[in-house]
Amino acid sequence: MSEWIQIGAVLDFPRQGSRVVESPKGAIAVFRTQDDRFFALHDRCPHRGGPLSQGIVYGHRIACPLHSWVIELETGEAVAPDEGETACFQIREDQGNIYLKV
Amino acid sequence: MQGANGGTPESGNGANSSQGELALFLPDGIQTHEYTERAMKKKMKLVVIGNGMAGIRTVEELLKMAPDLYDISVFGAEPHCNYNRILLSPVLAGEKSLNDIILNQEDWYTEHHITLYKGEKATLIDRKNRSVIGELGARADYDRLLIATGSSPFILPIPGRELSGVVAFRDIKDVDQMLEAARTGRHAVVIGGGLLGLEAANGLRKQGMDVTVVHNMTSLMERQLDEPAASLLQNSLEQSGLSFLIAAQTEAIIGENRVRAVRFKDGLEIPADLVVMAVGIRPNIELAKASGIHCERGIIVSDTMQTYDPSVYAVGECVQHRGELFGLVAPTFEQAKVCANQLAEVGSGRYRGSVTSTKLKVTGIDLFSAGDFKGGEGFEELVMQDPSRGIYKKLVVKDNRIRGAVLYGDTVAGGWYFQLMRESTDIQSFRESILFGHSNMADEGRDGQSIASMSDDAEVCGCNGVCKKTVVDAILEKKLFTLDEVRAHTKASSSCGSCTGLVEQILQATVGNYDPTPAEKPVCACTTHAHDAVRQQIAQRGLKSLDAIFRSLDWQTPDGCQKCRPALNYYLLCAWPSEYRDDPNSRFINERVHANIQKDGTYSVVPRMWGGLTTPDELRAIAGVADKFQIPTVKVTGGQRIDLLGVKKEDLPAVWAELNSAGMVSGHAYGKSLRTVKTCVGSEWCRFGTQDSTGLGVKLEKMTWGSWTPHKFKMAVSGCPRNCAEATIKDFGIICVDSGYEIHVGGNGGIKIRGTDLLVKVSSETEVFEYCGAFMQIYREEGRYLERTAPWIERVGLAYVKSRLENAEERQRLFEKFKVSQETAQVDPWAELSKPAARSEFVAIASLENSHV
């Protein structure tokens, strides 16, 4: 059954940055964008498995640090013309805290 | 489960200040809001007159930027969808079919809800009621109108021009008539020995006709070729079976209903079953003119592609911009981009004219021409001729810059010369070998490879394993026109770039004559500004933050992208060393965590060893760290350092702390920064050493470590001319001699090896330091981000760098600036990041149990 887990406070996440949540099924990257939206993706680029959490965040996108593939934070899809997808997780903010649905 | 504290102090402050800045964004925000509301309420109407390459390219660019802004209608006089007109020549020659050259099928129009009046010529623009009327009665109202009516072939005003069998070479209908004539008739006469005429003649010959080309000038393609190249061209076309009448004046076309012969002023008459007029084109301006839009030779447009009526735009061959008319596709596409930008109401695109190049699409003939190829007084000509191989190359040069080029027989280097010309690159340092082409500069290893002879599975791009067929298929299927598009879709030429020339050739062979032409590339897709312009504005307007740049320079994205942010962060750091605070989130991961990311997501750590010297204690510390953190690989680098590979991110701060406690600091092996100073043992031990190269290397490294540069910066000091430290392939290399120190600059190994240029010879270490700091400072201030010293020096010229540094006052001024910026730069990032407060970035914020997933 899925549930919302508190993973930290808003202030733990740098703007245009990310933090990692470890899980037995692989790391989850949690991103905070310039406009203070939060997104969570499986921390693996669909291209060669690069850690997306280590990339550069801009707009609602993340550029993978290994070969510069760009992934949409909202959908986990690679920006065309590249093709691929990484899993997304639901995330929400409530009273300054960040919750991840797992 | 949660991080120990609320982020680092830096990120806290960063958040506050950008919130403050956000308020300043408000006016823009409101505009965007209104804009969306308006779009939601009612879409505007855009009518496009012309269903050709320019008009539809504009629509495609517009749809990319603002898919929902307009209801779009298109009038097209031809009964076809948009097709690639430049590929009519291969269709005529039987090398491609009509279907191969369709760019947008019917369903594309449907998919984008575009109303297409196919086969309906627009006959009236009613500007008062903002409406366009078609010849079959269609009526389309507009808020904005785009005129892309193209051009018509110029028909010589001679008797017989109306006869059946006299055609132009402009559209599918003409090609059909020519193919029909080729089936029934034998003799073809092509009037016009320009690009189009020769392509038509070649196609008709391939269809089995006897073809005579009539030209009224003394040499072929006189607008693209000089006489030697033109005569080589004529020879090889004659060998392929074409006949020529040069300097001939056509007097009349003879026949009853159908053409039978062509007569010339000197009385000569030759048989003709088909006459093709290819003497030039004229912009189609009648419709615009009749509606009162200001026209001269073409429809007059401004830099925003607007006519005198601001709601009416025009692009392509029908326009006249800054006095120029257009007949090639490259400028047309650039205009389309600007026009789409304006129609989409985003950004500040301006069209400022184009530099174009030409290639002849005749199989078996390689010909390239660009720019001012005629030269004349004040110009120099570099010429290479090899008649038995049929090769002729001429570069027109002024002040060591290429102004024009004509290549015949071997055009492999055409793209390269064109780039050098567009970017106004100083060719002095390689002009002695420039005519041998790019491949001669020891970078490509593909000398003389011709794409026609390459098999489908031949590898084009060695970095990404892309073969020729993959590139060709992508170009055809995805309708790619530019190098950047091919890079994005296939990855070919997107890594090291050494196959760029090859990819450009494949592109040209597959899709025709297209070359991108902007003189200077914008920093990235977020802006129209080029690197140098942005830096100038940073200094002039005192822009001191990324937000200030985005706002003042009309960035088209709210917070930039992964390409521009690192560049801008560096430019700010360089311009305001003591004021600007570095933005780690605008840096590539390696510079953010001060280690090199590896393919498995682990990192490599390289401690600094001054001048390549180390001690037993340091080695023991390194060995201890490797043991303690179970670091799998320990390797000696090319720069005389020790690399610890496979360190987990969470271990980085502890690894650094241990290395710090043994007295070692970051080696910056990961940064666009001073890397290493490589040395040989020098006079202290070596029986040949002339000076203390090791000691000098240590001092140079102590002086320069920590400095950020546009790209990595490597140094070396060799104790004698045997050059064991390989100083002549470094950005800054010293070769010690008995009487002093030779300073060499601008070298690198890597993809394109470049030996250094000798900058100066000095007699003391003090002078070496001064030259070093001053040289680095000019490079820091004027090199573009990700441009190493080698291409930078080739671009600006060694003479320029010398002239700046030879002046003692200027040299000292630059050195002082360098020293000032070093005051804030020489802080060991490892010591900073291994402090407890900074460590949270390196560990997971939370850990989920098995029961959670």
Side-chain angles (χ1 to χ4, degrees):
Chain A
M1 210 187 81
S2 63
E3 56 178 314
W4 289 99
I5 307 280
Q6 191 196 335
I7 54 165
V10 169
L11 289 177
D12 297 333
F13 296 85
R15 276 214 177 97
Q16 297 176 314
S18 77
R19 297 295 301 274
V20 171
V21 175
E22 276 173 359
S23 100
K25 291 195 175 169
I28 298 167
V30 177
F31 302 94
R32 179 181 177 183
T33 59
Q34 175 69 22
D35 57 358
D36 288 337
R37 296 274 306 275
F38 283 80
F39 300 96
L41 297 180
H42 186 27
D43 194 12
R44 271 183 71 81
C45 179
H47 178 220
R48 297 273 174 88
L52 296 173
S53 56
Q54 310 301 298
I56 292 181
V57 179
Y58 66 96
H60 289 173
R61 290 176 167 180
I62 176 76
C64 177
L66 292 196
H67 306 97
S68 291
W69 274 40
V70 179
I71 310 294
E72 293 283 2
L73 293 175
E74 304 204 31
T75 61
E77 284 171 16
V79 170
D82 294 325
E83 287 171 16
E85 199 177 343
T86 194
C88 296
F89 298 85
Q90 285 188 53
I91 196 159
R92 71 181 165 88
E93 182 199 334
D94 188 17
Q95 303 195 341
N97 289 315
I98 300 299
Y99 298 85
L100 181 70
K101 193 169 188 180
V102 289
Chain B
M1 180 158 115
Q2 190 179 314
N5 56 29
T8 62
E10 285 83 0
S11 72
N13 285 339
N16 284 341
S17 71
S18 53
Q19 243 163 12
E21 307 256 359
L22 264 184
L24 295 168
F25 259 110
L26 253 177
D28 277 351
I30 286 172
Q31 255 178 11
T32 318
H33 182 60
E34 280 178 350
Y35 167 82
T36 325
E37 239 183 19
R38 190 177 63 196
M40 302 252 294
K41 257 191 270 167
K42 197 170 168 241
K43 282 192 184 181
M44 286 188 283
K45 293 193 182 72
L46 172 69
V47 173
V48 182
I49 303 179
N51 189 24
M53 295 179 77
I56 298 306
R57 180 72 169 199
T58 310
V59 172
E60 284 182 325
E61 295 275 1
L62 171 64
L63 290 172
K64 268 193 249 168
M65 282 181 272
D68 300 315
L69 194 54
Y70 293 98
D71 279 325
I72 302 173
S73 311
V74 176
F75 283 87
E78 285 189 67
H80 305 282
C81 292
N82 176 36
Y83 60 90
N84 185 343
R85 204 179 289 283
I86 47 181
L87 290 184
L88 284 174
S89 296
V91 171
L92 179 65
E95 291 161 358
K96 285 188 193 297
S97 76
L98 207 52
N99 224 9
D100 291 339
I101 67 165
I102 298 288
L103 289 171
N104 302 80
Q105 300 283 2
E106 201 109 11
D107 52 5
W108 176 83
Y109 296 86
T110 322
E111 190 188 321
H112 293 96
H113 311 290
I114 295 169
T115 311
L116 173 62
Y117 299 102
K118 196 165 76 177
E120 177 153 14
K121 191 175 172 185
T123 49
L124 179 74
I125 302 170
D126 176 357
R127 282 168 61 214
K128 203 168 140 210
N129 295 307
R130 295 196 166 195
S131 187
V132 176
I133 317 284
E135 64 181 347
L136 305 173
R139 180 193 173 93
D141 295 335
Y142 66 82
D143 296 297
R144 298 217 166 110
L145 175 65
L146 172 61
I147 303 178
T149 44
S151 63
S152 298
F154 180 68
I155 301 294
L156 289 175
I158 50 174
R161 63 183 182 277
E162 69 295 332
L163 289 173
S164 160
V166 179
V167 300
F169 183 26
R170 173 72 192 168
D171 54 27
I172 289 176
K173 176 175 66 36
D174 295 331
V175 172
D176 285 343
Q177 286 189 43
M178 286 154 79
L179 290 175
E180 177 60 32
R183 273 191 290 275
T184 55
R186 200 174 135 215
H187 300 286
V189 174
V190 176
I191 304 178
L195 192 65
L196 205 58
L198 294 180
E199 291 188 2
N202 177 63
L204 290 168
R205 179 187 61 77
K206 288 202 136 186
Q207 296 294 342
M209 297 190 87
D210 287 338
V211 186
T212 305
V213 177
V214 178
H215 196 47
N216 66 346
M217 306 297 278
T218 52
S219 73
L220 296 176
M221 288 183 67
E222 74 283 350
R223 289 172 64 180
Q224 287 89 18
L225 299 183
D226 61 356
E227 281 184 18
S231 77
L232 278 171
L233 173 65
Q234 187 177 333
N235 279 342
S236 70
L237 289 173
E238 275 168 350
Q239 274 167 25
S240 77
L242 294 181
S243 306
F244 289 90
L245 286 172
I246 298 297
Q249 310 290 324
T250 313
E251 190 178 66
I253 300 168
I254 299 165
E256 309 310 316
N257 295 312
R258 195 176 166 87
V259 55
R260 179 170 56 73
V262 175
R263 191 173 67 227
F264 300 93
K265 290 233 164 86
D266 60 5
L268 178 71
E269 203 174 291
I270 59 172
D273 304 304
L274 172 73
V275 174
V276 180
M277 292 248 197
V279 291
I281 52 170
R282 238 182 15 194
N284 287 330
I285 58 172
E286 294 72 23
L287 183 65
K289 210 169 177 177
S291 68
I293 291 169
H294 182 57
C295 299
E296 284 172 11
R297 289 178 299 152
I299 302 167
I300 304 290
V301 290
S302 65
D303 288 0
T304 55
M305 304 317 293
Q306 277 163 305
T307 65
Y308 275 47
D309 176 343
S311 60
V312 180
Y313 294 73
V315 291
E317 293 182 348
C318 62
V319 307
Q320 179 180 338
H321 171 264
R322 298 189 181 185
E324 297 281 331
L325 299 177
F326 303 89
L328 296 171
V329 72
T332 293
F333 279 6
E334 278 160 37
Q335 293 167 4
K337 193 158 204 155
V338 171
C339 185
N341 229 290
Q342 298 291 333
L343 287 170
E345 302 182 345
V346 295
S348 48
R350 293 281 187 281
Y351 180 68
R352 301 204 158 91
S354 305
V355 186
T356 54
S357 67
T358 308
K359 278 205 170 190
L360 185 69
K361 289 184 293 300
V362 171
T363 315
I365 290 181
D366 286 325
L367 183 159
F368 174 91
S369 149
D372 182 356
F373 62 89
K374 288 213 167 109
E377 205 175 323
F379 291 87
E380 298 169 282
E381 292 181 4
L382 310 184
V383 181
M384 176 198 255
Q385 256 171 315
D386 184 344
S388 65
R389 285 201 302 146
I391 288 173
Y392 172 77
K393 302 182 188 184
K394 178 168 98 173
L395 295 178
V396 174
V397 174
K398 191 175 185 187
D399 302 330
N400 277 317
R401 263 99 184 152
I402 298 180
R403 298 303 178 87
V406 178
L407 309 178
Y408 187 87
D410 174 6
T411 55
V412 176
W416 181 51
Y417 295 144
F418 192 44
Q419 187 188 347
L420 293 174
M421 185 176 108
R422 287 195 317 247
E423 294 178 354
S424 204
T425 306
D426 188 316
I427 62 164
Q428 186 191 27
S429 61
F430 52 97
R431 70 182 265 168
E432 64 203 43
S433 64
I434 192 168
L435 283 169
F436 296 100
H438 211 200
S439 52
N440 197 260
M441 297 184 71
D443 66 314
E444 285 181 287
R446 297 164 188 277
D447 202 6
Q449 204 161 7
S450 129
I451 51 132
S453 65
M454 280 176 75
S455 65
D456 277 354
D457 58 358
E459 189 173 66
V460 173
C461 171
C463 294
N464 296 299
V466 186
C467 69
K468 179 185 162 194
K469 186 171 190 308
T470 311
V471 176
V472 172
D473 288 351
I475 291 170
L476 293 175
E477 278 162 29
K478 317 269 185 195
K479 303 189 184 67
L480 312 181
F481 273 97
T482 66
L483 180 63
D484 281 344
E485 287 168 349
V486 175
R487 282 176 174 157
H489 281 85
T490 67
K491 308 291 175 217
S493 144
S494 66
S495 296
C496 84
S498 68
C499 63
T500 301
L502 215 49
V503 174
E504 279 179 334
Q505 280 190 76
I506 295 176
L507 194 58
Q508 258 150 356
T510 313
V511 84
N513 183 22
Y514 183 81
D515 266 310
T517 64
E520 234 190 297
K521 279 191 184 141
V523 175
C524 65
C526 300
T527 179
T528 56
H529 298 291
H531 285 268
D532 296 351
V534 170
R535 294 194 90 166
Q536 214 175 5
Q537 293 295 317
I538 288 173
Q540 255 174 27
R541 300 202 204 177
L543 306 176
K544 295 188 179 175
S545 70
L546 290 167
D547 274 341
I549 295 176
F550 294 152
R551 253 194 338 265
S552 309
L553 303 183
D554 294 324
W555 235 247
Q556 288 165 24
T557 45
D559 62 342
C561 72
Q562 88 276 27
K563 289 191 182 129
C564 61
R565 284 225 314 265
L568 300 178
N569 187 58
Y570 167 72
Y571 292 155
L572 287 165
L573 209 57
C574 179
W576 319 109
S578 50
E579 290 167 81
Y580 177 68
R581 210 188 47 224
D582 188 43
D583 175 21
N585 288 330
S586 292
R587 283 186 179 272
F588 184 61
I589 183 66
N590 290 358
E591 294 183 357
R592 211 182 315 147
V593 300
H594 298 275
N596 259 325
I597 194 164
Q598 304 297 315
K599 62 188 279 189
D600 62 352
T602 64
Y603 291 84
S604 81
V605 167
V606 181
R608 194 165 285 288
M609 290 175 174
W610 308 100
L613 288 179
T614 186
T615 63
D617 278 343
E618 285 184 350
L619 292 173
R620 265 188 288 272
I622 290 171
V625 164
D627 275 343
K628 181 169 173 184
F629 295 93
Q630 296 178 329
I631 293 169
T633 302
V634 181
K635 187 189 177 302
V636 176
T637 72
Q640 302 181 331
R641 305 298 138 102
I642 292 179
D643 195 353
L644 300 162
L645 288 137
V647 183
K648 294 185 205 72
K649 188 179 179 192
E650 57 266 31
D651 289 340
L652 286 173
V655 166
W656 297 334
E658 296 226 354
L659 292 170
N660 273 167
S661 66
M664 283 177 276
V665 298
S666 166
H668 290 82
Y670 46 78
K672 313 298 174 214
S673 59
L674 186 272
R675 291 285 179 89
T676 61
V677 183
K678 186 173 182 172
T679 63
C680 69
V681 290
S683 59
E684 193 185 353
W685 295 96
C686 179
R687 62 203 163 98
F688 300 116
T690 61
Q691 308 281 352
D692 177 14
S693 52
T694 323
L696 178 57
V698 171
K699 286 178 214 160
L700 278 172
E701 191 159 348
K702 296 246 175 186
M703 178 182 102
T704 55
W705 78 275
S707 61
W708 298 107
T709 40
H711 207 312
K712 59 188 171 190
F713 193 95
K714 299 181 177 182
M715 295 205 250
V717 186
S718 285
C720 78
R722 287 170 190 75
N723 193 13
C724 294
E726 296 161 340
T728 45
I729 52 161
K730 301 297 179 207
D731 296 278
F732 189 88
I734 308 292
I735 302 217
C736 301
V737 287
D738 205 49
S739 57
Y741 308 85
E742 287 175 12
I743 299 181
H744 297 256
V745 295
N748 63 210
I751 297 162
K752 203 185 285 182
I753 192 165
R754 183 182 194 274
T756 46
D757 297 312
L758 176 64
L759 179 70
V760 67
K761 194 182 150 196
V762 298
S763 56
S764 70
E765 287 192 348
T766 317
E767 287 167 286
V768 171
F769 300 141
E770 199 174 280
Y771 268 98
C772 176
F775 176 77
M776 281 185 84
Q777 189 61 19
I778 315 186
Y779 170 55
R780 281 163 45 81
E781 289 177 8
E782 300 181 12
R784 294 173 189 155
Y785 192 66
L786 297 186
E787 179 179 50
R788 282 200 68 180
T789 56
W792 170 64
I793 283 189
E794 287 188 1
R795 177 166 65 81
V796 301
L798 179 68
Y800 166 76
V801 178
K802 269 190 177 165
S803 73
R804 290 282 302 271
L805 292 179
E806 271 165 3
N807 177 333
E809 212 172 292
E810 173 71 351
R811 189 168 68 239
Q812 270 149 22
R813 190 188 67 82
L814 285 162
F815 187 34
E816 282 310 312
K817 275 184 91 174
F818 180 76
K819 285 195 280 192
V820 168
S821 75
Q822 283 298 82
E823 284 169 16
T824 46
Q826 291 195 324
V827 179
D828 176 29
W830 287 359
E832 296 297 303
L833 289 173
S834 55
K835 285 178 187 160
R839 288 197 181 195
S840 61
E841 132 96 1
F842 294 89
V843 293
I845 191 169
S847 200
L848 302 178
E849 314 284 322
N850 250 323
S851 60
H852 285 136
V853 289

